[in-house]
Amino acid sequence: MADKKATREAYGNALLELGELCPDLVVMDADLSGSTKTGVFAKAYPERFFNMGIAEQNLYGAAAGIALSGKRVCASTFAMFASGRAFEIIRNSIGYTGANVKVCATHAGITVGEDGASHQTFEDIALMRTIPGMTVVSPCDAVSAEKLIKQAVMMDGPAYVRLGRAAVPVFYSEEDEIVLGKGNLLRNGRDVTVVANGIMVSEAMEAASRLAEQGVDVRVIDIHTIKPLDEEILIKAAEETGRIVTAEEHSVIGGLGSAVAELLSSRCPCRIEMVGQLDTFGESGKPAELMEKYGMTASAIVSAVKKVY
């Protein structure tokens, strides 16, 4: 886990491979191809790349039209502008029609860092998971991002893939099985289960190691797919440990924590604590400093585990 790589970099690599595998793949961007890494595809396949300018609604409306004409489309911009500015278009033109568009949004969450509150979205998963038929994915590292993006592109129908700006620890190996819609059990434990995704997976593993030294046996699950949710792995964890902590780089309102609570409240009620953005905006700063200030660290997970244990 020593190497670090941004999930947006993995997106660029995945697009390059998919461009050769899928001659019907079209990639689109809102004048941010250098940042979203769609520029890699643009250089290799210029005839299948479209820069729509700083016009996000137009980007996703055009993406829907191209997809409904028989193509598969990856359309990218920053997560704040994809999920926020273009929500109505994504809902009505992509979700309602079932268009084969993958909204691959980068620069999500607090780790956008210096870009500040206007660009730090903590609402995108909450918004996207309300759209019927929308698959919602938040990979934890470059390996899982590349694998899940490829699966999302190969499936039929709309998907939202959440990607980050900052380099994060590479947690998985190329040999690991990572399947859309299926959670990954990363560490078994009998006392408490920590359910995490995105950058919080590595924080959860660090927290579990610290807690083991204190005699607390923690199970860690990576729920990279928030919708459809892997109900089986979560219900089993609730039944066997009886205590759940969720951890996400997103608001605790409407994201992973809410999805887990919605499921378990009816299927296996248990004590739940949520680690994430606590109904506040962010601010400009270094990613690590912001994670510390807003409580998205291994230490915050340790504290949450102690509340339920």
Side-chain angles (χ1 to χ4, degrees):
M1 211 165 72
D3 292 339
K4 287 190 172 186
K5 186 176 181 179
T7 51
R8 62 180 173 134
E9 297 278 356
Y11 175 47
N13 294 340
L15 287 179
L16 199 57
E17 292 185 36
L18 287 163
E20 184 176 357
L21 290 171
C22 306
D24 61 340
L25 176 63
V26 173
V27 175
M28 307 175 73
D29 207 291
D31 206 29
L32 288 167
S33 57
S35 296
T36 64
K37 302 306 177 183
T38 60
V40 176
F41 184 93
K43 186 175 180 180
Y45 305 100
E47 73 284 359
R48 289 190 272 146
F49 175 80
F50 297 93
N51 178 6
M52 304 301 290
I54 306 172
E56 291 83 3
Q57 296 99 326
N58 189 41
L59 165 67
Y60 290 107
I66 291 172
L68 292 169
S69 74
K71 306 294 184 182
R72 65 185 84 209
V73 181
C74 286
S76 296
T77 184
F78 289 0
M80 181 69 252
F81 309 125
S83 63
R85 186 174 292 165
F87 176 79
E88 184 266 331
I89 306 300
I90 292 173
R91 179 194 185 272
N92 287 337
S93 298
I94 295 173
Y96 182 53
T97 65
N100 197 13
V101 176
K102 320 305 169 185
V103 180
C104 297
T106 69
H107 292 62
I110 199 75
T111 49
V112 175
E114 291 86 348
D115 286 357
S118 64
H119 285 53
Q120 294 161 347
T121 177
F122 308 114
E123 312 85 9
D124 54 323
I125 290 172
L127 288 165
M128 291 296 115
R129 63 185 285 261
T130 64
I131 299 175
M134 180 70 74
T135 295
V136 181
V137 185
S138 181
C140 73
D141 71 353
V143 172
S144 61
E146 193 162 337
K147 288 176 180 283
L148 291 165
I149 288 162
K150 289 175 181 176
Q151 291 174 44
V153 169
M154 298 308 290
M155 77 173 209
D156 189 37
Y160 179 77
V161 183
R162 187 186 214 239
L163 303 165
R165 172 192 184 187
V168 294
V170 176
F171 184 80
Y172 285 104
S173 71
E174 293 293 343
E175 291 71 38
D176 288 327
E177 185 178 34
I178 304 166
V179 179
L180 205 63
K182 290 292 181 183
N184 282 68
L185 177 64
L186 303 180
R187 177 176 178 142
N188 216 344
R190 65 180 182 276
D191 295 330
V192 181
T193 299
V194 176
V195 178
N197 63 17
I199 64 167
M200 296 305 292
V201 171
S202 60
E203 299 294 327
M205 291 296 284
E206 171 63 23
S209 296
R210 294 185 199 175
L211 287 159
E213 295 174 358
Q214 302 173 39
V216 184
D217 193 18
V218 175
R219 182 178 306 191
V220 179
I221 297 172
D222 174 15
I223 294 291
H224 45 71
T225 309
I226 301 97
K227 186 182 178 184
L229 198 63
D230 186 346
E231 297 184 358
E232 182 180 353
I233 196 171
L234 292 169
I235 292 170
K236 185 173 188 286
E239 289 174 342
E240 293 179 355
T241 68
R243 306 171 182 92
I244 303 287
V245 170
T246 63
E248 59 193 313
E249 188 195 7
H250 184 275
S251 173
V252 295
I253 301 169
L256 174 66
S258 291
V260 171
E262 288 160 13
L263 169 68
L264 297 181
S265 64
S266 62
R267 300 287 297 279
C268 187
C270 65
R271 179 73 186 275
I272 298 175
E273 284 288 330
M274 299 180 190
V275 173
Q277 194 77 4
L278 300 176
D279 197 23
T280 65
F281 291 102
E283 62 186 284
S284 180
K286 299 293 184 185
E289 293 172 350
L290 293 171
M291 288 175 68
E292 183 70 35
K293 177 171 182 177
Y294 291 99
M296 286 176 274
T297 62
S299 295
I301 295 172
V302 168
S303 297
V305 167
K306 289 181 177 179
K307 286 182 182 178
V308 300
Y309 182 59

